[in-house]
Amino acid sequence: MKRFFAEYRNDYTTYTFSYAAYCVKEAQSEIPTIYAEGFLPYTGRQDLSAEVFYMARSLRIDLARFEDTSENRRVDRLTTPLNITLEVTPKAEFDTSLPEFVAFCTEYAEERFAGGSMDAARLRYVLSRELLTHIFTFRSAGKPLGYVFAVCEGEILHYWYSFFDTTYMQTFPLGKWMMWRTLRWAKEQGLRYGYLGTCYQPKALYKVRDHKGCEFFDGMGWSSDLKVLKALCTADSEPSAYADTFKQREHPLQEGFCAYLGENRV
């Protein structure tokens, strides 16, 4: 893997010069290391042939500590009437050009993604990535209810994109069930980690509330201090969230910075 940094904001008054951290995958076998170092796949530019990753506050589940919570069991009971089946297919064996599949995904994205940012062109681009290895299909009575695009390599799974039939939203917590069922599948396969994307703003904390074994990437490594994660998500909408966290003496991560530097906090 190759790393690079792109200039972002600067504040000369506090000597803060921001760089966004990226890396480029050079081999499929690097995927577990890339995720372990806090990177997630970037598909915002369809003109890129290279597989680029950005560093972010990402969330993962330590599957050794993952077990059903009361919320998982509640969601599973609610979806029982659908009698959902799961089929896991390597991408190479899945016909991604099927019109009904493309329509299902793009229509869901138009309704549910911020800005409807998954048109047919971007969908083709995502599906073309070597990174994407498996497609999870959820069905009820033979009818597709949802799809998950997953990255499976070595001992990790990344729950990348999900799409589901929104006509069931008022009655069944289908999105929650699909995430739980995918993580459960990963544990059943003996995998070590299940990655769930970014964790910003309080609205993302359902991933933490619903699943045991959560860890988040804090810039120094992986932390299981969920009190700090919740404080970070709460602070995301505040103006100070855009300042250098290392220079904010009262920032929730300050203890971590001092520990990383081998210093006692004053």
Side-chain angles (χ1 to χ4, degrees):
M1 59 186 287
K2 296 188 296 186
R3 297 173 178 80
F4 68 96
F5 301 87
E7 282 203 30
Y8 186 44
R9 304 182 181 200
N10 66 80
D11 181 357
Y12 223 109
T13 63
T14 62
Y15 282 83
T16 302
F17 307 99
S18 303
Y19 287 83
Y22 296 94
C23 77
V24 180
K25 176 177 75 67
E26 296 180 287
Q28 193 77 351
S29 60
E30 295 174 336
I31 288 175
T33 299
I34 289 172
Y35 279 92
E37 294 191 14
F39 290 97
L40 292 168
Y42 174 70
T43 59
R45 283 184 52 186
Q46 298 171 36
D47 61 318
L48 297 174
S49 58
E51 295 201 317
V52 178
F53 296 72
Y54 61 93
M55 184 176 287
R57 185 197 304 156
S58 56
L59 191 71
R60 74 182 183 186
I61 305 298
D62 178 352
L63 294 170
R65 296 188 289 129
F66 175 77
E67 58 184 51
D68 291 350
T69 64
S70 58
E71 176 64 7
N72 299 151
R73 291 189 288 270
R74 184 188 72 86
V75 167
D76 192 34
R77 285 195 303 271
L78 288 173
T79 57
T80 296
L82 295 176
N83 193 26
I84 303 173
T85 62
L86 168 61
E87 180 180 344
V88 181
T89 309
K91 185 185 69 172
E93 300 173 14
F94 191 100
D95 187 353
T96 58
S97 65
L98 285 172
E100 55 267 34
F101 167 74
V102 173
F104 188 106
C105 295
T106 54
E107 288 171 10
Y108 173 85
E110 181 66 27
E111 182 177 347
R112 300 286 296 171
F113 283 15
S117 57
M118 182 67 80
D119 58 14
R122 189 176 180 205
L123 179 66
R124 286 194 299 272
Y125 180 74
V126 169
L127 290 167
S128 74
R129 302 289 82 192
E130 181 186 37
L131 173 72
L132 175 59
T133 60
H134 291 77
I135 296 177
F136 288 53
T137 304
F138 300 84
R139 290 190 175 91
S140 176
K143 175 187 175 183
L145 291 185
Y147 298 97
V148 169
F149 295 179
V151 178
C152 297
E153 184 68 30
E155 294 184 312
I156 71 109
L157 173 144
H158 176 203
Y159 186 97
W160 193 5
Y161 288 104
S162 65
F163 312 83
F164 59 88
D165 189 336
T166 58
T167 61
Y168 290 85
M169 284 184 62
Q170 299 304 316
T171 310
F172 301 100
L174 194 53
K176 280 190 169 190
W177 190 89
M178 287 166 52
M179 181 175 287
W180 163 76
R181 185 65 184 89
T182 301
L183 288 170
R184 187 175 176 184
W185 178 90
K187 185 178 179 72
E188 291 167 352
Q189 304 307 305
L191 303 186
R192 186 176 182 186
Y193 293 113
Y195 289 84
L196 299 180
T198 59
C199 191
Y200 291 92
Q201 304 282 345
K203 64 183 180 181
L205 289 172
Y206 75 92
K207 302 176 185 177
V208 178
R209 291 190 297 267
D210 288 2
H211 306 115
K212 289 188 177 181
C214 288
E215 302 175 342
F216 74 99
F217 187 77
D218 64 6
M220 296 165 281
W222 290 92
S223 171
S224 57
D225 191 336
L226 301 185
K227 289 184 178 179
V228 170
L229 176 59
K230 291 173 183 177
L232 292 172
C233 288
T234 300
D236 284 336
S237 57
E238 299 173 3
S240 61
Y242 299 100
D244 183 335
T245 56
F246 174 61
K247 293 170 184 171
Q248 298 179 56
R249 294 177 62 87
E250 301 306 317
H251 194 275
L253 284 178
Q254 202 57 232
E255 293 284 358
F257 291 133
C258 289
Y260 192 79
L261 295 171
E263 298 183 359
N264 294 320
R265 183 172 182 179
V266 178

